[in-house]
Amino acid sequence: MTIRMKAGFSKGFRWRRRLSWPALLIALMASLSGTVAATTVDTPLMMAPRTELTVAYVEFPPLEYITEDGEPAGEFVELTRKVAEEAGYDLKFIYLPISRTYFYLRNGMVDMWMGLTGIPALDGYVLESAVSPISATLSVWSTPQTPPVTRYESFHDKILILISGYTYGGLLYQLEADNDVSLTFAPNHLAALKMLERGRGHYLLDYQLPVREILKQEPFEGLREQPVRTRHTSWLFTRNNPDSSALRDAFDQAFRRLVARGEVPPEEGRVPDFSLPGLPVDH
């Protein structure tokens, strides 16, 4: 059987076959161009999610503390937020007691902590940032009923009030080994001041910043302060995170960029400004 096409259909078919490939190519290019343009103008490109770091913070006003609404606040908290934003990280804050903070860092349950340098309990477990943005003075506080502190030996035959969980850069271990010094502990800074006021200890060993912050709100008449040692802050990254070195470098570099642009104050350095005469040097 022979099938014959109508002349009109046959001519039309040959005409399309001769012109369809160039026309199809032009149409395809136009279609692709329109797709790219639509993606660029109308559809935002998908961005990779930023890494979120879990950050421990403790009760250490005015540097870091928890508000009545349960939110992290303080000078060190705000600085950390700025540096993390510059470095390209998101933060999730978790409020912990100081001893729990050490435990979480050692076991990699948090990525970092805004803390102090040279903590023996964390030796080998954390990487400290190279920059040290804020200094923190360790002081001893007393009432007029006790002799002023002039050197380490002033603690002999006295009761010294300490904050539970703090190692004071290892000084705690020296005090515990000193048979001439008696120690008692308070759960927090305010409780320690009240113990001192009530005569439950001769001296209070505590950090200047949180005590002065409390004294702005509550009167404790006649308190005297004697600096004991200058400490310094740092960002401490758990070594259990395989990216700890990269995180430390990113925070150091981000902080320095912010300083160069004048957006944050420069670091205060790590050289101790003061040490109480007679203070054990191997702590």
Side-chain angles (χ1 to χ4, degrees):
M1 179 188 300
T2 303
I3 299 176
R4 295 182 178 178
M5 295 183 181
K6 292 183 179 180
F9 179 83
S10 177
K11 291 180 180 179
F13 177 77
R14 288 195 298 270
W15 177 80
R16 285 183 193 151
R17 186 171 58 184
R18 287 195 299 268
L19 299 180
S20 62
W21 289 113
L24 179 62
L25 181 60
I26 293 172
L28 179 61
M29 293 177 64
S31 175
L32 289 174
S33 176
T35 301
V36 172
T39 301
T40 304
V41 176
D42 301 324
T43 306
L45 296 175
M46 295 296 293
M47 302 297 291
R50 303 202 322 176
T51 301
E52 182 180 76
L53 304 178
T54 302
V55 184
Y57 73 107
V58 301
E59 194 67 20
F60 197 88
L63 296 188
E64 53 189 272
Y65 59 93
I66 190 168
T67 66
E68 294 181 355
D69 298 328
E71 296 297 323
E75 180 183 348
F76 207 177
V77 170
E78 295 309 313
L79 176 61
T80 301
R81 285 189 170 119
K82 289 181 180 179
V83 173
E85 178 65 27
E86 174 70 19
Y89 294 98
D90 293 327
L91 301 179
K92 175 185 176 183
F93 290 90
I94 176 172
Y95 180 72
L96 296 170
I98 187 68
S99 58
R100 188 72 60 84
T101 299
Y102 296 166
F103 177 79
Y104 275 38
L105 283 167
R106 288 195 295 263
N107 291 277
M109 300 169 70
V110 294
D111 295 303
M112 59 178 287
W113 171 46
M114 305 164 292
L116 296 172
T117 61
I119 297 175
L122 296 177
D123 186 29
Y125 293 98
V126 298
L127 292 177
E128 298 177 356
S129 61
V131 299
S132 184
I134 305 170
S135 65
T137 299
L138 178 64
S139 292
V140 62
W141 307 80
S142 61
T143 65
Q145 287 72 41
T146 56
V149 173
T150 57
R151 54 185 300 109
Y152 175 77
E153 287 77 13
S154 299
F155 299 149
H156 286 181
D157 302 319
K158 298 294 189 295
I159 300 174
L160 195 57
I161 302 170
L162 307 177
I163 309 298
S164 295
Y166 283 81
T167 66
Y168 302 93
L171 180 57
L172 169 65
Y173 309 129
Q174 296 288 337
L175 293 168
E176 289 177 328
D178 192 336
N179 295 326
D180 294 324
V181 180
S182 299
L183 305 179
T184 186
F185 294 87
N188 54 57
H189 307 284
L190 177 58
L193 281 168
K194 291 183 175 179
M195 287 176 64
L196 181 65
E197 185 181 46
R198 294 167 184 167
R200 296 177 59 185
H202 296 98
Y203 301 112
L204 165 61
L205 187 66
D206 202 352
Y207 288 96
Q208 184 183 85
L209 289 171
V211 171
R212 288 189 174 183
E213 195 69 14
I214 291 173
L215 294 179
K216 293 177 183 178
Q217 309 296 328
E218 297 199 24
F220 288 85
E221 298 296 333
L223 286 185
R224 295 177 303 206
E225 177 189 359
Q226 169 61 51
V228 172
R229 180 191 176 198
T230 300
R231 303 283 310 281
H232 298 284
T233 60
S234 175
W235 288 291
L236 286 74
F237 301 89
T238 177
R239 288 181 180 269
N240 268 303
N241 187 330
D243 297 325
S244 57
S245 294
L247 290 174
R248 177 189 58 184
D249 294 344
F251 268 66
D252 284 338
Q253 294 165 12
F255 176 82
R256 289 168 177 148
R257 290 196 299 269
L258 291 172
V259 170
R261 298 201 302 262
E263 297 180 25
V264 300
E267 64 177 313
E268 298 181 8
R270 292 187 182 228
V271 179
D273 299 321
F274 178 81
S275 184
L276 186 71
L279 193 71
V281 295
D282 58 347
H283 68 273

